[in-house]
Amino acid sequence: NAIPYVNAKPHIGFALEICQSDAIARYHRLQGDDTYFLMGADENSLKNVQAAEKAGKNTADFVKEHTQAFINLNKTLNISNDDFIKTSTEKHFKAAQKFWQVCQKDIYKKTYKGLYCVGCEEFKKENELALGCCPEHPKDKIEAVEEENYFFKLSAYQKKLEEIIEKDIVKIIPESRKNEALSFIKQGLEDFSISRTKQRAKGWGVPVPEDPDQVMYVWFDALTNYITALGYKEDGKLFKKYWQENENKLHVIGKGILKFHAVYWPAMLMSAGLPLPNQIFVHGYITVGGQKISKSVGNVIDPIEVVSKYGVDATRYYLLKEIPSTGDGDFSYKRFEEVYNSDLANGLGNLLQRTLTMVEKFKVKVEPGKKMLISDSKSQLNKEAVSRLIESFKFDRVLSKIWEVIKFCDRFIDENKPWELAKTDTKKLQEVLQIVCEYLFRISEALEPFMPETAQKMKKQLETLKPKPLFPKVFED
């Protein structure tokens, strides 16, 4: 997934992206696909320098501390990434400089004057501003900047970019984001500045090869992280295997950085003669109380606090189920607690506990996962249907399907009344509880990419037939 600026600690919106990426990676590993899941931190931005100055800290120390907060969040949310790249490292610097030199034919120098949004780290046109402010960062001051910089010939790739997006050579999901990228390209692409003076960058960032007075524009160096982490500079094994020879390269990004990934990055890769990503999955934003997350509004939610209060898998569930996978969604503690109680404590947790309690109490022999009484084709958890939904990134739809099965099992128990069958028909009792245990086993398999700890706990309880609360009530309805 995209590497975040580390000018502040991660908020709940970033937690959504890494949970989505993790669900994708875990799903593919479970399918037996050779999967490499890369994350990291964008440490070279001017935003980081300014945030460090504001905090009265040395930039390197400030960046290190905030990057660690993102690494800690990964551990807290049980994220299964294979590597984590820090773009202030020498390995990244050298590889980004090699990439610059390979793109040399499309790079030139000129003096430029423009309006700069530090929040976006990019120059803006007048028509991109609302009342003189950037719509993404209305609180940040737009700066008028004039300096001599290097530029990348983005305009030379206009037709090629239109073609690769129109024909889904780089497939953008959802369709609305594909149309947005195409609309931006068709308005006419202009060359963009890919360096800053060392003075304005406060000496922070990747030095431009053979020009020590210039530092690479953060987006030019940051986008290369996807290949520099794999060993692009030395043409390493991982780079060959997962970038050059791999036809399933996926970027998971937020809608605010679509242009960089769907326009700038493919053009840069074409310039360097390298393969393009195959898919870009674009998620929306999380709002809090209907408003965009913002420090000034005071609605920043710390995901680590959410996990410490409700648990890892409850947090993952809320983010993947309650936030539409390709749209915006709201986070509120009130809604979280409603969902926790109805879906997790009274839903999945209660179903598992009541079923295994009856198995134990009535001394019924069941074999979850072994003795098949339900056919896959008729099941809501039909593997093909679930796979199709996950592969089109509809995580909320998959989880809704799983919860339909949980509700079905509860109805099935209530209709068949095992407590009465225990007195009248032990054969039917065994069959009813076997069917519910079979469904529970299927549910645990289907939950593995989304709620890995819960899936493992369920499997263990179904093996030992010993019930324990999965989601203890931590508060009252």
Side-chain angles (χ1 to χ4, degrees), residues 178-244:
K178 171 185 173 174
N179 295 336
E180 192 183 311
L182 272 174
S183 158
F184 177 78
I185 295 164
K186 286 176 177 176
Q187 282 168 21
L189 296 176
E190 292 178 8
D191 298 350
F192 71 101
S193 165
I194 57 168
S195 74
R196 307 287 176 254
T197 61
K198 190 176 179 184
Q199 182 188 359
R200 191 157 71 87
K202 312 272 172 84
W204 185 256
V206 184
V208 167
E210 296 166 21
D211 191 341
D213 293 331
Q214 297 270 328
V215 168
M216 279 185 208
Y217 165 46
V218 65
W219 272 106
F220 195 85
D221 102 70
L223 285 162
T224 66
N225 93 85
Y226 303 117
I227 58 174
T228 65
L230 295 173
Y232 163 68
K233 181 175 183 298
E234 60 279 12
D235 212 19
K237 275 185 194 169
L238 292 177
F239 172 64
K240 282 180 182 164
K241 182 180 183 181
Y242 292 111
W243 196 272
Q244 288 185 303

Side-chain angles (χ1 to χ4, degrees), residues 12 287-301:
I12 198 77
T287 53
V288 174
Q291 287 184 292
K292 194 179 167 190
I293 295 171
S294 148
K295 273 191 203 164
S296 51
V297 176
N299 64 351
V300 176
I301 302 274

Side-chain angles (χ1 to χ4, degrees), residues 30-67:
L30 288 163
Q31 298 300 303
D33 300 330
D34 186 353
T35 305
Y36 195 85
F37 174 16
L38 176 66
M39 298 179 68
D42 184 353
E43 298 180 320
N44 296 326
S45 113
L46 186 56
K47 276 171 99 161
N48 295 340
V49 177
Q50 291 185 339
E53 282 175 349
K54 200 173 171 186
K57 291 186 178 177
N58 164 284
T59 304
D61 293 341
F62 178 86
V63 161
K64 190 177 176 186
E65 176 193 324
H66 281 82
T67 294

Side-chain angles (χ1 to χ4, degrees), residues 101-153:
Q101 285 165 322
V102 172
C103 294
Q104 204 68 56
K105 70 178 188 306
D106 288 317
I107 295 174
Y108 63 95
K109 204 174 189 183
K110 73 168 184 180
T111 301
Y112 181 75
K113 189 176 183 179
L115 299 166
Y116 195 73
C117 169
V118 175
C120 291
E121 292 279 14
E122 70 168 332
F123 284 100
K124 297 284 184 187
K125 294 178 198 164
E126 291 277 5
N127 66 0
E128 291 179 296
L129 302 176
L131 302 172
C133 298
C134 166
E136 287 276 331
H137 303 95
K139 302 277 179 199
D140 292 358
K141 202 171 112 221
I142 293 283
E143 296 175 24
V145 174
E146 183 175 5
E147 63 185 26
E148 191 178 36
N149 294 148
Y150 287 95
F151 275 71
F152 178 80
K153 290 180 191 168

Side-chain angles (χ1 to χ4, degrees), residues 317 321-322 335 337-350 399 403 406-407 471:
Y317 176 75
K321 163 75 167 39
E322 288 294 303
R335 177 66 187 146
E337 295 188 359
E338 284 169 6
V339 168
Y340 184 101
N341 280 340
S342 65
D343 293 13
L344 302 177
N346 301 333
L348 176 62
N350 182 57
L399 288 164
W403 258 259
I406 292 167
K407 285 171 187 160
F471 294 97

Side-chain angles (χ1 to χ4, degrees), residues 249-285:
K249 295 182 287 291
L250 166 71
H251 290 313
V252 177
I253 62 162
K255 63 180 179 178
I257 55 174
L258 174 64
K259 174 173 70 178
F260 300 107
H261 285 80
V263 183
Y264 290 17
W265 179 224
M268 288 158 59
L269 287 165
M270 285 190 273
S271 178
L274 291 173
L276 301 175
N278 305 93
Q279 285 186 305
I280 302 173
F281 162 58
V282 191
H283 64 80
Y285 288 156

